[in-house]
Amino acid sequence: MPEYVPPLADIRFVLAHVVDMGGLTALEAFGHADPATVDSVIEEAGKFMADVLAPLNRIGDTVGSHLETDGGLVTRVVTPPGFKDAYARYVEAGWGAIPFDPVFGGGGFPWLVTIVLQEMLTSANMSFSLCPLLTQGAIDMLAHHGSPQQQDRYLSRMVTGEWTGTMNLTEPEAGSDVGALRARATPAEDGTWRISGQKIFITYGDHDLADNVIHLVLARVPDAPPGTRGISCFIVPKFLVNDDGTLGPRNDVRCVSLEHKMGIHGSPTCVMSYGDQGGAVGYLINAGMRYMFTLMNTARLSVGVEGIAIAERAYQQAVAFARERKQGHAVGAPAGAQSAIIEHPDVRRMLLTIHASTLAMRRLIYLNAESVDLARHHPDPEIRRARQELVELLTPVSKAWCTDVGVEMASLAIQVHGGMGYIEETGVAQLLRDGRIAPIYEGTNGIQAIDLVSRKLPMRGGAVVREFLDAISREADALAATELASIQAQLRMGVDALAVASEWLLEHGKEDPNVLLAAAGPYLKMFGLVTGGWLMARSAAAALKHGPPDVLVTARFYAEQLLPQAGALIGAVTAGPRDLFAVDFS
Ligand SMILES: Cc1cc2nc3c(=O)[nH]c(=O)nc-3n(C[C@H](O)[C@H](O)[C@H](O)COP(=O)(O)OP(=O)(O)OC[C@H]3O[C@@H](n4cnc5c(N)ncnc54)[C@H](O)[C@@H]3O)c2cc1C
């Protein structure tokens, strides 16, 4: 049995019936990418991920990345066996170039296609996936905000994957509180900058996969105001690039150590030191943190994908195990024979919970990605505006809900394995260890929830959320078929509960910011459950007409057995902060 089978049937179903890949490819911006081409790209990419990257997942975990040193100084960061060759093949196949502008050598496909590829890449090998993921984020930033000269110098080599990219925000005293960072940038006479300071937790900060690493580094310029307003973003290449595009001398930036982590052992997480010899040469992208927001939305969406990816692989592994493992005697099984555990209702419940949750997450993330494309490329400004609002609203939910659920589902897959799940050889424990980072990085899930209640919920005085919930209600009302009756009823209850919670927060949040902040986590969970339920209901309605029947059953299970949790969260949302501050934790 292969380690990972790309879930192409469900991916195709979502692209056809939940979002509108046909409509997307009809846009002028994606003129050359008809649905058939998209489909063959996805199928080919899936094969690559399954055949080349999935088999390296385990060795990535057991061997990990390591440092080579000479006299105490780091000389090289070495990735696990097989990664370098696989990365060369990834570059050769051009998978990283898929969504980018053909002007820079990209494939010009919708962002949605890249999100599909990213799901399969991450399911196959999360540690490996982080190198292309960070590169993609850096490309996105440069493509939107770099000067033509900077784009010319770096982008084409990053789009092919010959050079990789990093994001350098975090410092020991500046994690969630990015505004506290201390890295310094001072102007040099030639118009460049000199960067100094230490960054921690830098994913693929150094490695042996590519010839050059293009760091995007946040630093503070002289006399800058405190907080995020005083922060600027700089390009700091590992090797300086000559005017003719060849590599010049090594820049004053180096990896000084690697973190020992709970998971994603294959991905080198580096402590980076800038300016030990006077200052790393940096190039200002442009002043101001507002530029980072473009990058943040797409990067957060990509981290949300990690939730689906981990859950999907955990599901596949759990089903395979449950078919093989025999214990007990299932109701109705022949006398004297042990039954496969997949015959027991409780095990089937666990499997269906993982499956239904994964499907709901995939639908949310793909809708979010389709909205990124429409917000950027639809010719009608009104549609662009509406979809941009949807991106703003859904991104924190995609990131936080999907990564929280991904972790829960990996844990449930361990439960399906019984004791063998706790033993490393089965590999399912790796999924939990690897996936556990996703709720933490790219803005912790707590920070995402705060973003949802304090910035997104109040958009247009609450009208954005109201319109969103009205659209869900209308779609629920239109579910006429009797087969969909319970889905309709549960979706109505869920969306009504979310509407009550939203109005309560809009009203009471004004009185005391702690009311909003205390409600943030449960409110985001409600939002995720209901949005997932909405898109599962849409799937069920489509499945009635287009099959397959499993989609309808899975959507009904979600509606009847998972979605009702949303209503139960009203208490937590509206309880306020009183008790949170009434306990003395000393
Ligand atoms: C494996 C790994 C890879 C990473 N890769 C990168 C990378 O490539 N580039 C990069 O720049 N960084 C990277 N990071 C850093 C990561 O983004 C941070 O760890 C994350 O932003 C959280 O910051 P912190 O660790 O300082 O936690 P803290 O900010 O100290 O947070 C601790 C807890 O307090 C909560 N909290 C903090 N502030 C608030 C608040 N105002 N309100 C409510 N709750 C709050 C948080 O939600 C969290 O639960 C990586 C980290 C890891 C572990």
Side-chain angles (χ1 to χ4, degrees):
M1 153 111 194
E3 299 191 43
Y4 164 65
V5 180
L8 293 179
D10 191 55
I11 289 172
R12 286 180 173 131
F13 183 88
V14 181
L15 296 184
H17 303 300
V18 179
V19 296
D20 181 10
M21 179 57 87
L24 213 48
T25 52
L27 297 181
E28 199 184 327
F30 308 119
H32 63 291
D34 57 286
T37 315
V38 166
D39 191 71
S40 60
V41 165
I42 290 173
E43 190 169 334
E44 272 309 302
K47 267 194 207 125
F48 181 87
M49 310 307 176
D51 296 347
V52 179
L53 300 182
L56 297 174
N57 196 38
R58 182 107 182 96
I59 197 164
D61 186 50
T62 50
V63 176
S65 285
H66 68 273
L67 292 178
E68 278 179 5
T69 53
D70 183 8
L73 278 183
V74 174
T75 50
R76 228 157 64 95
V77 178
V78 183
T79 54
F83 271 40
K84 193 171 163 63
D85 178 51
Y87 187 74
R89 294 176 66 183
Y90 182 91
V91 170
E92 196 189 345
W95 297 125
I98 289 285
F100 296 110
D101 195 325
V103 171
F104 307 120
F109 280 80
W111 199 258
L112 175 56
V113 176
T114 232
I115 288 293
V116 174
L117 264 49
Q118 219 164 70
E119 181 200 321
M120 299 188 293
L121 168 64
T122 311
S123 283
N125 194 325
M126 181 165 161
S127 282
F128 183 96
S129 77
L130 292 171
C131 187
L133 180 78
L134 269 294
T135 304
Q136 178 185 293
I139 294 170
D140 205 26
M141 173 79 170
L142 285 171
H144 283 89
H145 306 300
S147 68
Q149 218 178 6
Q150 290 168 341
Q151 293 176 344
D152 192 44
R153 181 154 294 201
Y154 302 104
L155 271 183
S156 57
R157 310 286 281 277
M158 293 172 79
V159 167
T160 58
E162 287 165 88
W163 297 348
T164 66
T166 68
M167 287 304 308
N168 288 241
L169 288 77
T170 307
E171 298 178 10
E173 305 305 324
S176 301
D177 194 0
V178 178
L181 68 80
R182 295 179 186 167
R184 299 251 146 227
T186 47
E189 282 177 1
D190 60 0
T192 64
W193 295 74
R194 295 296 172 269
I195 313 295
S196 55
Q198 193 182 72
K199 295 286 178 180
I200 60 168
F201 295 154
I202 304 309
T203 300
Y204 279 92
D206 201 1
H207 57 81
D208 57 356
L209 302 182
D211 294 339
N212 205 2
V213 182
I214 311 302
H215 303 288
L216 298 189
V217 184
L218 295 191
R220 204 170 275 292
V221 297
D223 307 321
T228 49
R229 278 195 311 127
I231 296 171
S232 302
C233 184
F234 297 85
I235 302 168
V236 183
K238 173 177 168 182
F239 288 97
L240 297 173
V241 180
N242 298 319
D243 287 343
D244 63 0
T246 55
L247 293 186
R250 179 105 198 217
N251 205 350
D252 185 7
V253 45
R254 61 195 180 91
C255 167
V256 288
S257 66
L258 291 187
E259 304 294 355
H260 296 278
K261 309 190 292 293
M262 172 180 180
I264 51 166
H265 294 152
S267 165
T269 306
C270 304
V271 176
M272 303 295 297
S273 185
Y274 288 83
D276 290 349
Q277 275 129 32
V281 177
Y283 308 93
L284 180 66
I285 290 190
N286 228 319
M289 270 293 279
R290 70 195 167 90
Y291 294 109
M292 298 305 292
F293 287 109
T294 315
L295 185 65
M296 276 180 195
N297 273 340
T298 46
R300 287 177 173 180
L301 183 59
S302 292
V303 173
V305 171
E306 292 172 0
I308 325 172
I310 287 292
E312 173 64 43
R313 185 140 182 193
Y315 171 70
Q316 293 188 15
Q317 235 167 294
V319 169
F321 183 86
R323 281 186 201 287
E324 293 293 319
R325 173 69 175 163
K326 290 194 166 60
Q327 282 294 281
H329 187 253
V331 176
Q338 274 186 317
S339 302
I341 60 168
I342 202 164
E343 300 304 333
H344 300 307
D346 188 56
V347 173
R348 295 183 87 86
R349 168 181 300 287
M350 289 192 273
L351 294 175
L352 202 45
T353 300
I354 305 173
H355 188 47
S357 303
T358 307
L359 262 53
M361 289 191 275
R362 181 172 293 126
R363 281 146 179 78
L364 165 60
I365 295 268
Y366 287 15
L367 174 75
N368 198 337
E370 180 197 45
S371 300
V372 169
D373 285 315
L374 292 172
R376 286 180 179 177
H377 298 293
H378 200 281
D380 182 342
E382 183 47 34
I383 292 182
R384 286 204 302 275
R385 184 199 61 74
R387 287 299 186 135
Q388 184 56 37
E389 280 184 349
L390 200 57
V391 170
E392 300 298 333
L393 182 63
L394 292 185
T395 300
V397 184
S398 293
K399 194 278 175 180
W401 185 65
C402 294
T403 55
D404 277 345
V405 174
V407 169
E408 268 178 58
M409 296 307 127
S411 178
L412 206 49
I414 290 180
Q415 194 68 17
V416 171
H417 285 69
M420 287 309 290
Y422 203 69
I423 305 299
E424 289 287 353
E425 279 87 324
T426 49
V428 68
Q430 184 194 342
L431 297 176
L432 180 62
R433 289 188 287 98
D434 284 356
R436 189 61 189 86
I437 183 58
I440 297 172
Y441 57 21
E442 202 47 54
T444 64
N445 285 0
I447 298 295
Q448 304 299 325
I450 291 170
D451 180 42
L452 180 66
V453 292
S454 58
R455 280 192 281 272
K456 307 305 168 60
L457 176 60
M459 283 193 296
R460 282 202 280 119
V464 173
V465 169
R466 282 188 199 109
E467 288 165 15
F468 177 71
L469 299 182
D470 284 349
I472 296 181
S473 298
R474 281 196 303 277
E475 208 166 314
D477 290 345
L479 297 172
T482 43
E483 295 92 325
L484 305 174
S486 68
I487 296 178
Q488 181 184 50
Q490 293 299 339
L491 182 56
R492 275 244 60 128
M493 275 194 270
V495 76
D496 289 349
L498 185 56
V500 169
S502 304
E503 294 303 334
W504 191 91
L505 287 178
L506 283 165
E507 189 185 337
H508 295 278
K510 290 184 202 130
E511 296 158 11
D512 174 4
N514 267 342
V515 166
L516 277 182
L517 298 175
Y523 180 72
L524 185 142
K525 188 172 178 183
M526 271 185 108
F527 215 106
L529 280 162
V530 171
T531 309
W534 164 47
L535 299 172
M536 290 295 273
R538 182 180 287 183
S539 298
L544 261 187
K545 293 186 203 142
H546 310 285
D550 272 8
V551 172
L552 175 60
V553 175
T554 309
R556 191 170 62 217
F557 175 84
Y558 184 96
E560 293 179 0
Q561 305 201 37
L562 302 180
L563 181 53
Q565 294 169 46
L569 288 163
I570 281 263
V573 171
T574 57
R578 183 193 59 193
D579 287 349
L580 303 182
F581 289 93
V583 170
D584 179 1
F585 287 111
S586 61

